[in-house]
């Protein structure tokens, strides 16, 4: 069987095999448990018989017997005493009807228990094992109550522990399946991104050539300038897609300048009904950054915020720093995110949009956390009031 070619067959084979093995083990444990319990019951019955025989023997007038009979009786008495004293594991309660008292044996801290405590314990033992009546000359004078030994109590919980282990084992297989599936999806998206970059490259080169020709045809320079901006934009997008799945080249750059550039581009091309605010500190914030990928992440967050506000509201970008990180916060006045979905929004395929693929935030997390060793998260959000997303990048 080719497990690599048919992973679903391998997965189900392992799970079914685990269940079969667990069932066999539980069945054998059950048989062993029953045999052990029967053996203890037989041992208690022998104990009760020895008690009965010992009492009857003590009532015989040994002086009326001859020497051989007395020797045999003494040997039997010693054997009965040995049987009685040999029990060191099974907890016993001997109830004496005439004195209305319980005599404990093999019960921890029995000297601290009152007769009422022993009576309650006897009732518990009676629910576990049927009491044994000890009769003398046909009259019941004692009742023997007994519980389970420590080994039976331990075995009783063994199947539960085994089932928990099997559940954890199946959960591990399932987690491995999800991880491998996510890895396959990541490879697929990376391959699609590189192919997209390759496909865009050909017409982009053609557009660059046509732009150069238009410059010689007395075309309005403003038109050519706008076309050049869009071509540069396409080149940036192509570079972004080509870097997915590869280790990016990080350079020491000023985070404030990079954010300002992306902010200027987006604010000019967004709805006039959105109020943009940029709050940045003076000076520079040097970080190790890949400019194309950071710009992609920043734009994804801005576009998500604009979509959440349905093209109307206030959007604030704030940059601060602490001792180790440069922090970028993007706050909108959109529909907000439920707290239960704070982590789900970063999962591949998760989206609340009717026409979304659910890849933007997944790529953003990968770019920030895997490529830049930073952090991205939902800092705070309230439904119908707005959301604050936060990016934290290590200072260079």
């Amino acid at each position: 069987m080719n497990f690599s070619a048919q992973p679903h067959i391998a997965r189900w084979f392992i799970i079914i095999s685990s269940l079969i093995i667990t069932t066999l083990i539980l069945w054998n444990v059950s048989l062993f448990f029953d045999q052990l319990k029967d053996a203890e019951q037989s041992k208690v019955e022998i104990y009760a018989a020895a008690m009965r025989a010992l009492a009857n023997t003590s009532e015989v007038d040994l002086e009326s017997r001859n020497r051989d009979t007395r020797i045999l009786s003494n040997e039997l008495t010693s054997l009965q005493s040995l049987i009685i004293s040999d029990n060191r594991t099974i907890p016993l309660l001997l109830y004496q009807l005439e004195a209305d008292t319980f005599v404990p044996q093999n019960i921890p801290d029995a000297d601290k228990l009152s007769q009422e405590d022993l009576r309650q314990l006897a009732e518990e033992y009676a629910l576990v094992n049927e009491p044994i009546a000890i009769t003398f000359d046909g009259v019941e004078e004692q009742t023997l109550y007994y519980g389970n030994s420590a080994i039976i109590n331990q075995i009783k919980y063994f199947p539960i522990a085994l089932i928990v282990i099997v559940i954890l084992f199946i959960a591990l297989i399932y987690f491995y399946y999800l991880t491998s599936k996510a890895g396959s999806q990541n490879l697929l998206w990376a391959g699609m991104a590189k192919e997209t970059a390759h496909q865009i490259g050909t017409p982009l080169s053609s557009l660059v050539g046509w732009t150069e020709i238009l410059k010689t045809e007395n075309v309005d320079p403003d038109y050519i300038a706008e076309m050049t901006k869009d071509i540069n934009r396409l080149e940036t997008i192509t570079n972004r897609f080509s870097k997915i799945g590869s280790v990016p080249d990080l350079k020491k750059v000023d985070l404030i300048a990079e954010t300002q550039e992306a902010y200027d581009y987006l604010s000019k091309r967004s709805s006039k009904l959105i109020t943009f605010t940029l709050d940045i500190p003076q000076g520079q914030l040097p970080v190790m950054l890949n400019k194309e990928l950071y710009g992609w992440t920043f734009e994804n967050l801005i576009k998500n915020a604009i979509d959440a506000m349905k093209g109307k509201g206030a959007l604030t970008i704030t940059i601060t720093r602490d001792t180790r990180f440069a922090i970028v916060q993007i706050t909108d006045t959109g529909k907000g995110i439920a707290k239960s979905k704070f982590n789900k929004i970063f999962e591949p395929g998760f989206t609340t949009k009717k026409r979304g693929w659910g890849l933007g935030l997944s790529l953003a997390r990968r770019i920030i956390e895997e490529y830049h060793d930073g952090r991205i998260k939902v800092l705070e959000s309230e439904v119908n009031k707005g959301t604050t997303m936060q990016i934290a990048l290590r200072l260079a």
Side-chain angles (χ1 to χ4, degrees):
M1 183 182 294
N2 187 350
F3 288 101
S4 60
Q6 299 178 339
H8 61 287
I9 295 178
R11 185 171 64 256
W12 281 110
F13 174 79
I14 294 173
I15 292 176
I16 293 173
S17 299
S18 301
L19 293 175
I20 292 174
I21 293 172
T22 303
T23 302
L24 291 174
I25 293 175
L26 291 176
W27 181 62
N28 280 279
V29 169
S30 177
L31 291 178
F32 177 70
F33 181 83
D34 292 339
Q35 292 174 359
L36 187 60
K37 196 169 179 63
D38 290 341
E40 289 198 351
Q41 183 178 358
S42 299
K43 190 174 182 179
V44 173
E45 289 175 351
I46 294 172
Y47 178 95
M51 289 284 295
R52 187 184 304 112
L54 184 62
N56 289 331
T57 302
S58 63
E59 294 178 356
V60 176
D61 184 7
L62 298 178
E63 294 298 328
S64 63
R65 299 185 178 186
N66 57 35
R67 179 176 176 275
D68 292 338
T69 303
R70 288 198 302 272
I71 292 173
L72 178 60
S73 178
N74 288 337
E75 290 177 350
L76 289 174
T77 300
S78 298
L79 177 61
Q80 293 154 4
S81 300
L82 180 63
I83 292 173
I84 293 172
S85 62
D86 185 56
N87 174 40
R88 297 184 181 89
T89 59
I90 304 173
L92 301 173
L93 280 173
L94 184 63
Y95 176 61
Q96 299 174 338
L97 276 70
E98 184 176 352
D100 190 25
T101 57
F102 289 90
V103 179
Q105 182 179 344
N106 300 329
I107 296 177
D109 299 325
D111 55 333
K112 299 179 182 179
L113 300 176
S114 64
Q115 284 295 312
E116 186 60 31
D117 295 332
L118 295 176
R119 188 180 302 277
Q120 293 179 2
L121 190 58
E123 293 175 357
E124 294 176 7
Y125 286 171
L127 297 175
V128 178
N129 298 300
E130 185 178 353
I132 299 175
I134 300 177
T135 59
F136 301 100
D137 295 331
V139 179
E140 181 179 348
E141 294 187 7
Q142 296 178 339
T143 305
L144 187 61
Y145 297 89
Y146 66 101
N148 292 328
S149 63
I151 189 171
I152 284 186
N153 288 329
Q154 292 172 359
I155 293 176
K156 184 169 59 178
Y157 297 108
F158 178 75
I160 298 175
L162 185 62
I163 290 173
V164 171
I165 292 173
V166 171
I167 291 174
L168 293 175
F169 179 69
I170 293 175
L172 181 63
I173 295 175
Y174 181 69
F175 176 76
Y176 171 77
Y177 165 70
L178 290 181
T179 304
S180 61
K181 184 177 180 181
S184 300
Q185 289 178 341
N186 287 336
L187 291 175
L188 175 62
W189 299 129
M192 289 179 62
K194 289 181 177 296
E195 180 62 21
T196 301
H198 177 71
Q199 295 295 334
I200 292 176
T202 301
L204 184 60
S205 300
S206 179
L207 286 173
V208 171
W210 281 110
T211 303
E212 294 300 321
I213 292 174
L214 289 174
K215 289 180 181 179
T216 64
E217 297 293 331
N218 297 321
V219 177
D220 189 335
D222 291 339
Y223 296 164
I224 298 177
E226 290 300 319
M227 289 181 63
T228 302
K229 288 180 181 178
D230 288 333
I231 290 173
N232 292 336
R233 179 65 179 168
L234 285 173
E235 289 178 341
T236 300
I237 293 173
T238 302
N239 289 333
R240 290 174 180 174
F241 275 92
S242 66
K243 287 179 171 59
I244 294 298
S246 305
V247 178
D249 182 25
L250 303 182
K251 296 181 179 179
K252 187 176 181 180
V253 297
D254 179 20
L255 179 64
I256 294 176
E258 292 302 319
T259 305
Q260 179 79 60
E261 181 180 341
Y263 169 85
D264 291 340
Y265 178 85
L266 292 170
S267 60
K268 293 177 181 178
R269 288 162 174 78
S270 300
S271 171
K272 301 301 180 183
L273 299 177
I274 296 177
T275 303
F276 281 83
T277 304
L278 180 62
D279 183 8
I280 57 177
Q282 296 295 323
Q284 295 184 343
L285 278 180
V287 296
M288 298 302 296
L289 203 68
N290 181 280
K291 296 195 293 184
E292 288 86 359
L293 293 181
Y294 170 74
W296 194 358
T297 301
F298 185 79
E299 289 178 23
N300 270 331
L301 296 181
I302 295 296
K303 289 177 180 178
N304 282 343
I306 293 173
D307 290 341
M309 294 187 291
K310 297 182 179 180
K312 183 179 180 180
L315 196 149
T316 303
I317 296 94
T318 305
I319 300 180
T320 57
R321 66 173 296 168
D322 60 16
T323 55
R324 298 172 56 200
F325 291 92
I327 299 170
V328 181
Q329 294 180 354
I330 301 170
T331 303
D332 64 61
T333 56
K335 60 183 179 180
I337 304 170
K339 193 170 184 179
S340 60
K341 297 180 180 178
F342 277 17
N343 288 322
K344 288 184 178 180
I345 64 172
F346 293 102
E347 295 177 1
F350 181 86
T351 180
T352 58
K353 303 174 185 177
K354 292 182 179 180
R355 297 185 179 181
W357 283 61
L359 296 178
L361 289 177
S362 174
L363 285 171
R365 169 173 276 184
R366 183 170 184 176
I367 289 169
I368 296 300
E369 297 189 355
E370 293 186 22
Y371 293 163
H372 291 84
D373 192 24
R375 297 291 180 268
I376 182 171
K377 66 178 181 179
V378 182
L379 183 63
E380 58 183 16
S381 183
E382 190 172 348
V383 177
N384 297 324
K385 288 193 176 182
T387 301
T388 298
M389 302 291 294
Q390 176 174 291
I391 298 174
L393 297 169
R394 297 180 183 275
L395 293 170

